[in-house]
Amino acid sequence: MTPTMQPYVPGKRQPMHLPRHKLSRWAELKIWWREIDRVLLLLVLLLMSFGTIAVAAASPASADRLSTASETLDPLYFFYRHVAWQVLGLGVMFGVSLLNRDNARRFGVLLAGGMLGLLFLVPIVGPEINGARRWINLGMQFQPSEFLKAGYAIAMAWILSWKVRDPNLPVLWIATALFGTIAALMMLQPDFGGTILFAGVWFVMVVLSGVDVKRLGGVVGGALVGLTATYFLYDNARHRIDAFMGGGTAFDQVDLASRTLLAGGWTGAGYGLGIRKMSLPEAHTDYIFSVIGEEFGLIACAVILLLYLAIVGRVLMRLVDEEDLFALLAGTGLIALLGGQAFINMLVNLQLFPSKGMTLPLVSYGGSSTIAVCMGVGLLIAVTRRNPFLKSRTKGLGDLIGFGQAESTTEHSGRKPREIFP
């Protein structure tokens, strides 16, 4: 009689059959290579390669704007630094991706707890830069909110997956309380754009967890009230929204970005031949998508967009038959963070969304932010690892979004379906 596979329950020790001898490092690497999504890894590396070229094109503009009478920056100053940070980020990405699913969960929860603690300190000890306190200095200056993103998705998935153990646990309210705490701390910085991103990820994960629609409607209604109040109480957000709705002026950053993006036409002016980028603030970070449009053309912008869509689509395809609720929610949350930030950044550059101060993940120049994004991708690869020789008999994401494939498969096979999600 074939033993029945038991569903994964977070926090519960699973029966393990340990090998007699510890695997060598080479054997562990071979298992890692077999279990990861190699297509996803290739897409990520391809996007980072395009980002390196884009930073090389944007570096002269930013170096010129930040040069002073006493110090002139090398035109490729930001390009050299970006390559160094990318090498470090790739090391972090591969290191984190080597974690198995349980260790990735533990690492993510600890990361969320540590960064949340630092987020409490930011308004108190963080230096003020451009009217905001978002950074903290621990030997290296960084934004705790950037590293919190990946940990937040893992922690939310862990909390929401408690319902597998006990359906009566108030996971919705615990997850909402976590988001509310983070949102309040983010608004103290202030960082309205980051708060919106965290809210979007919370909504996606809560919906996929299968919570009661009535309770979810009440929470969403309260969030909309809070968002409306923010418009009247938060001057920065109100000014940006008003400027966006009013069409802006020729001196607005968003308007300059839109003009720069369209200046190259379909094929672009050519590498190093862009002119408008020289007057564009933050050309190597927030508005690098516009630099790509001017120097490499709208076709190149479309390729970047398609790469992001391919990454998102690849992860969702990987999760369609995922039977572990934690992995399903964690993978969805992590890809929602990556895709959502990229989507917002592109809309801002196209003058279709108010300015949010968000970089284009895996493409924009970044120091610690590059490390944070690569860490998130590493966690995404880790939680979507799968033994290719084990075939699932359930349809995780397909069940949740109503594909109904699991039922039809059961009818044809005559097997009784296993209940993974309550």
Side-chain angles (χ1 to χ4, degrees):
M1 183 176 179
T2 304
T4 303
M5 295 292 292
Q6 296 298 320
Y8 172 79
V9 179
K12 180 180 177 181
R13 292 187 177 274
Q14 304 296 318
M16 298 178 62
H17 300 284
L18 298 176
R20 293 182 180 179
H21 302 286
K22 185 178 179 181
L23 295 175
S24 66
R25 177 62 63 181
W26 177 246
E28 291 178 351
L29 288 175
K30 288 196 295 184
I31 293 173
W32 169 82
W33 180 251
R34 185 178 66 232
E35 293 184 345
I36 67 168
D37 188 343
R38 295 188 290 273
V39 175
L40 173 61
L41 179 61
L42 176 63
L43 291 171
V44 168
L45 294 178
L46 188 59
L47 189 60
M48 293 182 71
S49 300
F50 278 114
T52 303
I53 298 173
V55 171
S59 180
S62 295
D64 181 70
R65 289 181 63 87
L66 296 177
S67 294
T68 62
S70 58
E71 182 181 7
T72 301
L73 297 180
D74 187 290
L76 294 178
Y77 172 80
F78 291 104
F79 167 70
Y80 297 141
R81 291 175 62 88
H82 181 68
V83 171
W85 283 111
Q86 274 198 325
V87 171
L88 184 58
L90 285 172
V92 172
M93 181 195 301
F94 285 113
V96 173
S97 69
L98 288 170
L99 298 173
N100 60 40
R101 190 169 290 179
D102 286 338
N103 287 334
R105 172 174 53 82
R106 296 185 184 101
F107 175 77
V109 172
L110 290 175
L111 178 66
M115 292 302 111
L116 184 59
L118 292 179
L119 210 58
F120 276 97
L121 298 177
V122 168
I124 303 173
V125 301
E128 183 173 337
I129 301 176
N130 295 329
R133 294 182 183 272
R134 301 177 185 174
W135 295 263
I136 198 165
N137 197 329
L138 296 178
M140 178 184 72
Q141 189 165 280
F142 65 97
Q143 295 186 50
S145 60
E146 290 294 322
F147 288 87
L148 177 61
K149 290 175 181 177
Y152 169 75
I154 297 292
M156 285 282 288
W158 178 54
I159 293 170
L160 292 171
S161 64
W162 291 349
K163 61 180 294 186
V164 175
R165 191 188 320 179
D166 185 355
N168 296 319
L169 286 174
V171 294
L172 172 62
W173 303 112
I174 297 174
T176 303
L178 173 61
F179 161 67
T181 302
I182 293 173
L185 293 172
M186 295 284 287
M187 293 303 293
L188 286 176
Q189 296 184 2
D191 187 357
F192 182 64
T195 305
I196 294 296
L197 185 60
F198 278 101
V201 173
W202 168 86
F203 180 77
V204 169
M205 296 181 70
V206 166
V207 169
L208 281 182
S209 68
V211 300
D212 183 71
V213 177
K214 293 181 180 179
R215 287 188 294 173
L216 179 61
V219 175
V220 172
L224 291 176
V225 172
L227 185 62
T228 304
T230 300
Y231 175 80
F232 294 101
L233 300 176
Y234 180 36
D235 293 339
N236 195 323
R238 183 171 66 253
H239 293 159
R240 291 192 178 190
I241 293 174
D242 288 345
F244 172 75
M245 298 300 293
T249 68
F251 300 100
D252 290 338
Q253 292 183 7
V254 176
D255 185 75
L256 287 172
S258 177
R259 292 171 182 269
T260 302
L261 190 150
L262 298 175
W266 288 105
T267 57
Y271 173 74
L273 300 179
I275 298 175
R276 287 185 176 272
K277 70 177 183 182
M278 302 305 294
S279 60
L280 186 64
E282 308 298 337
H284 61 311
T285 54
D286 297 358
Y287 298 109
I288 196 168
F289 193 65
S290 295
V291 176
I292 295 174
E294 182 182 22
E295 299 214 345
F296 304 106
L298 296 177
I299 294 178
C301 291
V303 170
I304 298 294
L305 173 60
L306 289 175
L307 278 174
Y308 279 111
L309 292 176
I311 291 173
V312 173
R314 181 68 187 182
V315 172
L316 295 181
M317 288 175 60
R318 185 87 167 179
L319 297 174
V320 163
D321 59 352
E322 177 57 63
E323 57 188 30
D324 180 350
L325 182 57
F326 164 75
L328 170 64
L329 295 175
T332 305
L334 288 167
I335 199 58
L337 279 169
L338 182 70
Q341 183 170 334
F343 186 65
I344 291 174
N345 178 276
M346 291 185 209
L347 288 181
V348 169
N349 279 263
L350 289 168
Q351 208 173 4
L352 298 176
F353 206 78
S355 177
K356 293 297 178 186
M358 287 187 184
T359 58
L360 191 59
L362 300 174
V363 175
S364 292
Y365 168 87
S368 60
S369 63
T370 297
I371 306 299
V373 173
C374 288
M375 185 179 294
V377 174
L379 283 170
L380 179 61
I381 295 173
V383 298
T384 56
R385 285 178 63 174
R386 180 180 305 167
N387 189 330
F389 301 108
L390 296 179
K391 302 298 182 182
S392 173
R393 291 183 294 169
T394 62
K395 295 293 180 183
L397 186 59
D399 251 2
L400 290 179
I401 61 180
F403 283 166
Q405 295 178 2
E407 291 80 1
S408 61
T409 302
T410 303
E411 291 175 3
H412 285 84
S413 64
R415 291 197 307 261
K416 181 180 179 181
R418 286 189 295 127
E419 293 192 10
I420 299 302
F421 307 122

